[in-house]
Amino acid sequence: MRGTAEAALARENGCTVLRMDTNAKNAAVRRLYQKLGYAEPDIGPCIFNGIPNVQLVLLEKKLT
């Protein structure tokens, strides 16, 4: 994502890290973001749209 408008805007506003989450079962998205330089520092349970015990993966990329 380096060089994209979103990353540039984040940097301009003092952000040093981009973060988002996805369902742990979403293997395709997890592989995509791994290729884009995102790490998975944590996985945690939550209630998502009324569904209990959904495991969310934190995706994180440090901006340079």
Side-chain angles (χ1 to χ4, degrees):
M1 183 165 243
R2 188 171 185 206
T4 64
E6 294 85 358
L9 181 61
R11 281 190 211 94
E12 289 172 13
N13 284 284
C15 296
T16 58
V17 179
L18 296 176
R19 291 187 181 106
M20 66 182 127
D21 58 54
T22 190
N23 190 314
K25 294 179 181 181
N26 197 341
V29 166
R30 292 173 70 185
R31 282 191 302 273
L32 171 65
Y33 281 106
Q34 183 179 28
K35 288 178 185 178
L36 293 173
Y38 282 79
E40 294 185 358
D42 201 8
I43 299 176
C46 75
I47 298 172
F48 184 77
N49 290 336
I51 304 167
N53 301 318
V54 173
Q55 296 293 312
L56 287 184
V57 177
L58 172 62
L59 299 164
E60 180 176 274
K61 181 175 181 177
K62 294 182 181 176
L63 298 174
T64 57

